[in-house]
Amino acid sequence: MKNPKQFPPFSVPSGADKTRLPSRHTTLGPERAPHRSFLYAMGLSAREIAQPFVGVVTTWNEAAPCNIALSRQAQAVKKGVVATGGTPREFTTITVTDGIAMGHAGMKASLVSREVIADSVELSVRGHCYDALVGLAGCDKTLPGLMMAMLRLNVPSVFLYGGSILPGRFRGKDVTVLDVFEAVGAHAAGTMTDADLAEVETVACPSAGSCGGQYTANSMAYVSEAIGLALPGSASTPAPYESRDRFADASGRAVMALLERDLRPRDIVTRQALENAAAVVAATGGSTNAALHLPAMANEAGIAFDIFDVAAVFRRTPLIANLKPGGRYLAKDVHEIGGVPVVLKALLDGGFLHGDCLTVTGRSLADNLAGVGIPENQDVVVPTARAVSPTGGLVVLEGNLAPEGAIVKVAGLRTLIFSGPARVFDTEEDAFAAVMQKRYQSGEVLVIRYEGPRGGPGMREMLSTTSVIYGQGMGEKVALITDGRFSGATRGLCVGHIGPEAAVGGPIALIENGDVIEIDAVRGTLSVRLDPEVMAARRERWQPRRHAFQSGALWRYAQTVGPAGKGAVTHPGAAAEEHVYADI
């Protein structure tokens, strides 16, 4: 692959020509005197006004531990910007934290928040004419949301993950919030006492940071390094460690170097870089949500990269990490053996990455990894020659039940082929109630529909339901399929993202109780055992189902969102744009 630009090694910039930057519209010339008066009001000097403006955006809030440490890290980013001749301007955007939104109607806001984050950052940067961007995120949708905004705006940008939570300890073993979700099922099954449930909920999350397994937040954090938008090693240091500040300071310095060289996100995020990102998700048994977020990020760069493109990378990439939920270890364990660069080095040495892709260091991915080794005498991450599995931890399925695709995480699963009668639910609430009351049987396939991007609206995660099933000891005895999605913490034979979704008349809308569903994660198929004539007759009788959200943000999202297989995006992306913000 040839890159459109070549850049010298990383160095501190000597300065930038403000006349070519977006902030000239708010700071240069006599006609901008009113604008400058606002800047003086905030204590800026004439020199600071004359320097490039760097937006420092965080998803800091007091909603959950995922984001609580971001404000402190942002201050270190700002120091790095100031030290290299820039003027940082801090702002925040929203987050919806999945762990708290899970299991009720609040989860409908989660995927929608990804679009709101990207839109709000775009509007903040456009409105104030910032020249570059550093984004700090902690929770599941905040990571892709900020990276999508960077690609959309295409100003020089650096992404920084806020870090993972430390593990809790319960009965002598490391635990995460997943153990609490599964404890709910054990409690409902009568195998866990009230006292034990109360204890595990108080010890599972002992610090700031995102959920510690290879769930969505850590999966997308690994993506940030693999795709080239984050500094090497920045994604794996736990949130409570103040050593994160050196990555924050370095990110501020790095964005100024990118600004001087005019190295932009779309120079970095190519199709090959997207393939690298998909590879690191597969290699670590990461979240199925990556199959939503990578196509959405590609859309912002004008690159066609859908769920089947993701699937092709998943098929050819070995599983080399032993991480929860399918394995034994947590993000902290990866940090202790050298972090994400160790994963990337193992993949590069095995021939599973495009090493010539550019990164925010100004160097190639291969150059960044030149001095990295894979530690011996550990099984957290192994060389590809000793892979846990020859193919990645995720599989995309296709068949008469999912013409537009579906996805399942297979890392750690013993059962990859399953068939059984359907037990159908039209809402997650109905399914959860049935599971809690044990109104289902071993060998069944639970079907949860009308939970897709448009039908939900919002494409909810189903962790509460899947965790209770596992907690009841039924995780390997039933399967679950949905046009909604799953938390990265979900385990078991759980198939999500089925498309077309029920709300638009997809085949999942036509299933009836007792229909035999066949799942084959070896061959990559998902089908219902029905004659085409029967399906056609049911389609004639099918009527759309009206959802209850007929105003507000969820209504607006349902009007614009596209299919899950293409990322559940809400606008045409860079392929249709007539101008790029960075060039205004």
Side-chain angles (χ1 to χ4, degrees), residues 247-302:
F247 289 111
D249 181 275
S251 295
R253 294 172 184 267
V255 81
M256 290 300 296
L258 297 176
L259 188 61
E260 184 179 46
R261 301 164 188 163
D262 194 29
L263 175 54
R264 303 181 182 185
R266 294 187 200 172
D267 299 321
I268 293 169
V269 178
T270 61
R271 183 182 178 88
Q272 288 79 10
L274 287 159
E275 291 179 355
N276 287 348
V280 81
V281 175
T284 57
S287 173
T288 54
N289 283 310
L292 277 176
H293 302 324
L294 292 178
M297 291 168 63
N299 182 62
E300 301 291 355

Side-chain angles (χ1 to χ4, degrees), residues 558-570:
Q559 308 311 304
T560 57
V561 69
K566 296 185 181 297
V569 297
T570 57

Side-chain angles (χ1 to χ4, degrees), residues 368-386:
N368 290 344
L369 299 172
V372 177
I374 305 169
E376 298 179 353
N377 302 317
Q378 56 82 31
D379 63 346
V380 181
V381 175
V382 298
T384 56
R386 294 194 286 113

Side-chain angles (χ1 to χ4, degrees), residues 404-443:
E404 293 179 359
I407 189 167
V408 60
K409 179 185 286 194
V410 297
L413 274 185
R414 294 187 297 271
T415 302
L416 299 180
I417 300 174
F418 192 100
S419 67
R423 185 178 291 263
V424 181
F425 304 94
D426 284 346
T427 69
E428 186 196 5
E429 285 85 355
D430 290 347
F432 183 75
V435 169
M436 287 292 286
Q437 297 163 21
K438 299 183 185 176
R439 290 188 283 109
Y440 67 101
Q441 302 293 323
S442 176

Side-chain angles (χ1 to χ4, degrees), residues 59-70 93-101 139 142 209:
T59 55
W60 177 87
N61 59 35
E62 294 181 334
C66 325
N67 302 286
I68 201 71
L70 296 178
T93 184
I94 71 158
T95 182
V96 174
T97 298
D98 290 2
I100 290 178
C139 202
T142 64

Side-chain angles (χ1 to χ4, degrees), residues 197-244:
L197 180 60
E199 181 181 347
V200 73
E201 74 177 64
T202 59
V203 301
C205 300
S207 73
S210 301
C211 298
Q214 198 61 354
Y215 312 151
T216 304
N218 279 318
S219 297
M220 295 309 296
Y222 285 33
V223 160
S224 71
E225 287 195 36
I227 210 166
L229 290 175
L231 292 177
S234 63
S236 42
T237 304
Y241 292 6
E242 292 194 4
S243 56
R244 286 205 61 79

Side-chain angles (χ1 to χ4, degrees), residues 100-111:
I100 290 178
M102 194 73 67
H104 54 88
M107 178 50 74
K108 293 178 182 290
S110 173
L111 186 57

Side-chain angles (χ1 to χ4, degrees), residues 26 55-57 89-94 116-131 133 149 153 581:
T26 60
V56 179
V57 57
R89 310 311 299 150
E90 184 179 357
F91 66 101
T92 60
T93 184
I94 71 158
V116 174
I117 289 163
D119 291 350
S120 65
V121 173
E122 176 194 358
L123 296 177
S124 293
V125 172
R126 282 188 183 276
H128 302 105
C129 294
Y130 295 152
D131 303 314
L133 193 62
L153 294 160
Y581 163 78

